[in-house]
Amino acid sequence: MKTSHRLSDAVHILAYLVINQGGDLSSTRIASSIQTNPSSVRTLMSDMRKAGLISTRSGAVEPQLTRSAAAISLYDVFMAITMDHSLLHVDPNTNMACTVGANIQAVLQRHYAEINNVAEEKMKTITLASIVSAIEQEHAKKMSEH
C-alpha cells in the first residue's frame, strides 16, 4: 500500500514560504528542503495557486501567500491539492459470495465517512500560522540543546 505525502509536502512548501520570506524561494531550493524534485514542488504550487492559496508570476521566483498564514487552514491545503480526499479506503475486491465480503464494504464505508468528517472538521481548526509557530518552537528548542 502506497502512502501519499502530498499534503505534508504542500504544508512544507507553505511553511517554507512563510519562514524564508525574502530568501531563495525557488522550486529547487524548496525541493532540497523536502528532499524531492523541483517538478513535484512546482506541481503542488500549481495546485495551491489554482486554489487561491498562493500567487506566482511566470519568470519570477517570488511565490507568496494570498492571505495570512492564520487564514489558511490545514483543510484548505488538503482540498487544494490534487489527490483522493478520502482518508480511509475500503478494499473493493472482496468475495461477494461470502457474508463478510459481501457486506463489509457498505459497513466500513459508513464508518469511514464519519471518521473522514471528524478529521476534516479538526483540519479546519489547524492554521498554517500555528504550524509555522510550532516549527519555529521546535527549531529554537533544538538550537538551545546544542
Side-chain angles (χ1 to χ4, degrees):
M1 177 165 60
K2 185 180 178 196
T3 59
S4 172
H5 299 110
R6 290 180 58 79
L7 177 59
S8 176
D9 290 350
V11 173
H12 190 132
I13 291 166
L14 294 174
Y16 190 93
L17 296 180
V18 172
I19 292 170
N20 293 290
Q21 287 177 342
D24 182 356
L25 301 179
S26 68
S27 57
T28 300
R29 180 64 191 109
I30 297 169
S32 73
S33 178
I34 301 172
Q35 294 193 346
T36 189
N37 63 64
S39 172
S40 295
V41 169
R42 288 190 294 273
T43 298
L44 286 169
M45 289 178 79
S46 175
D47 286 348
M48 291 187 286
R49 185 185 72 250
K50 289 175 189 168
L53 298 180
I54 64 170
S55 63
T56 59
R57 288 186 314 137
S58 185
V61 186
E62 301 169 353
Q64 53 189 311
L65 302 181
T66 57
R67 55 188 190 246
S68 75
I72 298 174
S73 71
L74 191 56
Y75 180 78
D76 294 330
V77 182
F78 179 63
M79 294 309 292
I81 58 177
T82 303
M83 63 177 278
D84 182 347
H85 290 108
S86 296
L87 299 174
L88 302 171
H89 304 278
V90 175
D91 183 353
N93 299 316
T94 55
N95 182 351
M96 293 300 149
C98 169
T99 301
V100 176
N103 297 289
I104 194 164
Q105 293 170 350
V107 171
L108 286 179
Q109 198 59 43
R110 287 192 299 270
H111 290 296
Y112 287 3
E114 182 180 346
I115 292 166
N116 202 62
N117 290 337
V118 170
E120 287 177 359
E121 288 306 311
K122 180 62 179 175
M123 291 169 80
K124 291 176 183 176
T125 70
I126 301 168
T127 66
L128 178 59
S130 67
I131 292 169
V132 167
S133 177
I135 290 168
E136 290 171 333
Q137 289 172 9
E138 284 292 318
H139 178 69
K141 183 172 124 183
K142 287 179 182 174
M143 296 308 290
S144 70
E145 293 172 357
H146 288 18

